[in-house]
């Protein structure tokens, strides 16, 4: 019988996880079924429980349930503990395990672009859940300094307070959105500003060699400004594939090659 997987969210129609996992399965010769599962806001926990009771092997979790998935798990990977959010679930020895593969997905996407991470200096704009999830994997990929810039600076400071001890090998700094300056190897937009149509202003005092927009699918002023400077740019589709590959390899023990799916 084909192994059963699903992605759970609300809404869920937009999810591209089933097509990605089916493409990985085809490439690696694994037989699986991967469904979309809609959960009412008050029914997430029971829906997860039912899925694993009915022979489900692994589940991805998307908006708005990643923090609730984190609370539900009995065992967490270190990166999920730091992210305080879980996007990948499975059962082991009767316990629900949780991981967060989003940050490693970003690292894999950047590596596939051949942008250097070792000893690099990165600026991340935004201090929400998306930023929280990527710092630990970036540092473990060799990033030496990360500046976190946010509209609400107190939120960036809180995030650094929460995470710095877990990544002592890197320097984490903060600044306001109106204080963007300095030289960076990569700048990453982790805000939801482009989703709301708001523009982030990248001032001339800020210079960078590469620009990554975590959101995808909509033209973003962040990417437009980076393109005007002539630097290499990329959007979040690679990260989406990367997080899916990471989940697939946890569940199936086989790692598809990201470049085959870009
Ligand atoms: P996510 O889980 O996607 O990170 P989030 O936790 O709601 O979502 O965080 C959204 C991020 O986008 C925050 O850094 C937010 O800034 P604030 O902390 O100041 O709210 C940022 N953001 C959202 N809309 C923005 C805008 N119009 N301009 C600048 N930053 C914005």
């Amino acid at each position: 019988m084909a192994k059963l997987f699903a992605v759970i969210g609300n809404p869920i129609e937009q999810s591209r996880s089933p097509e990605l996992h089916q493409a990985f399965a085809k490439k690696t010769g694994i037989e699986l079924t991967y469904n979309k599962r809609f959960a009412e806001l008050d029914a997430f926990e029971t829906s997860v429980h039912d899925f694993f009771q009915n022979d489900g092997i692994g589940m991805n979790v998307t908006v708005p349930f990643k923090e609730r998935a984190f609370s539900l798990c009995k065992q967490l990977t270190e990166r999920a503990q730091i992210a305080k959010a879980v996007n990948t679930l499975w059962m082991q020895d009767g316990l629900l395990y949780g991981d967060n593969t989003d940050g490693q997905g970003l690292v894999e996407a950047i590596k596939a672009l051949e942008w250097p991470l070792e000893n690099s200096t990165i600026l991340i704009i935004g201090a929400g859940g998306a930023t929280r999830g990527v710092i630990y994997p970036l540092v473990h990929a060799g990033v030496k300094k990360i500046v976190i810039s946010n509209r609400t600076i107190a939120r960036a400071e809180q995030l650094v307070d929460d995470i710095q001890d877990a990544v002592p090998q890197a320097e984490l700094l903060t600044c306001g959105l109106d204080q963007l300056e300095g030289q960076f190897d990569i700048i990453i937009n982790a805000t939801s500003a482009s989703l709301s149509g708001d523009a982030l202003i990248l001032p001339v005092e800020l210079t960078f060699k590469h620009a990554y927009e975590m959101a995808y699918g909509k033209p973003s002023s962040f990417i437009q400004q980076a393109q005007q400077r002539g630097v290499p740019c990329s959007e979040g589709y690679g990260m989406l594939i990367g997080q899916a590959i990471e989940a697939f390899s946890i569940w199936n023990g086989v790692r598809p090659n990201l470049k085959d799916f870009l």
Side-chain angles (χ1 to χ4, degrees):
M1 208 174 66
K3 297 201 266 184
L4 177 63
F5 299 90
V7 55
I8 186 166
N10 179 342
I12 197 60
E13 272 320 304
Q14 78 295 344
S15 174
R16 312 210 31 196
S17 292
E19 63 188 90
L20 287 173
H21 281 266
Q22 273 143 15
F24 303 157
K26 200 170 168 199
K27 190 88 182 169
T28 56
I30 287 172
E31 211 181 315
L32 59 76
T33 304
Y34 191 115
N35 300 321
K36 290 179 187 172
R37 227 174 144 101
F38 175 85
E40 295 292 353
L41 294 180
D42 61 359
F44 168 72
E45 288 77 8
T46 45
S47 190
V48 171
H49 183 77
D50 288 351
F51 175 79
F52 286 108
Q53 282 291 306
N54 288 294
D55 299 328
I57 300 284
M59 193 176 228
N60 281 131
V61 181
T62 188
V63 179
F65 298 129
K66 291 185 189 182
E67 286 79 16
R68 277 164 67 181
F70 170 79
S71 302
L72 200 57
C73 289
K74 293 284 179 278
Q75 295 286 334
L76 292 157
T77 60
E78 192 173 10
R79 62 193 183 189
Q81 282 172 38
I82 291 162
K84 292 199 170 114
V86 156
N87 76 333
T88 303
L89 297 169
W90 69 96
M91 293 292 286
Q92 207 172 304
D93 306 325
L95 297 176
L96 186 64
Y97 275 67
D99 193 2
N100 188 315
T101 67
D102 289 330
Q104 191 58 29
L106 174 68
V107 166
E108 298 298 334
I110 291 175
K111 284 184 179 167
L113 290 161
E114 296 176 5
W115 299 355
L117 286 170
E118 195 66 42
N119 289 318
S120 66
T121 296
I122 290 188
L123 169 72
I124 304 180
I125 308 178
T131 300
R132 184 176 283 278
V134 300
I135 292 174
Y136 181 89
L138 284 171
V139 170
H140 280 262
V143 176
K144 275 285 162 283
K145 181 171 157 185
I146 302 179
V147 178
I148 299 162
S149 178
N150 202 40
R151 181 174 60 181
T152 314
I153 185 141
R155 203 170 171 202
E157 286 165 354
Q158 183 64 54
L159 197 147
V160 169
D161 273 359
D162 288 352
I163 299 183
Q164 179 70 80
D165 286 351
V167 288
Q169 64 275 51
E171 186 183 9
L172 305 183
L173 301 167
T174 61
C175 74
L177 273 191
D178 51 357
Q179 299 164 315
L180 288 175
E181 60 178 359
Q183 283 186 307
F184 294 90
D185 295 297
I186 303 174
I187 64 169
I188 298 171
N189 183 15
T191 72
S192 45
S194 62
L195 302 177
S196 61
D198 287 348
L200 291 171
I201 308 296
L202 305 180
V204 287
E205 297 78 21
L206 173 67
T207 60
F208 49 91
K209 295 180 190 149
H210 307 89
Y212 198 93
E213 165 70 73
M214 277 202 202
Y216 63 91
K218 264 193 176 182
S220 100
S221 79
F222 171 84
I223 288 293
Q224 279 163 4
Q225 292 173 74
Q227 280 170 340
Q228 278 161 10
R229 301 209 192 180
V231 305
C233 301
S234 188
E235 288 173 68
Y237 192 58
M239 179 174 173
L240 177 80
I241 301 172
Q243 63 75 28
I245 284 180
E246 193 72 10
F248 186 93
S249 68
I250 291 168
W251 295 329
N252 297 299
V254 185
R255 177 177 290 273
N257 184 350
L258 192 144
K259 284 186 181 170
D260 290 339
F261 300 93
L262 282 173

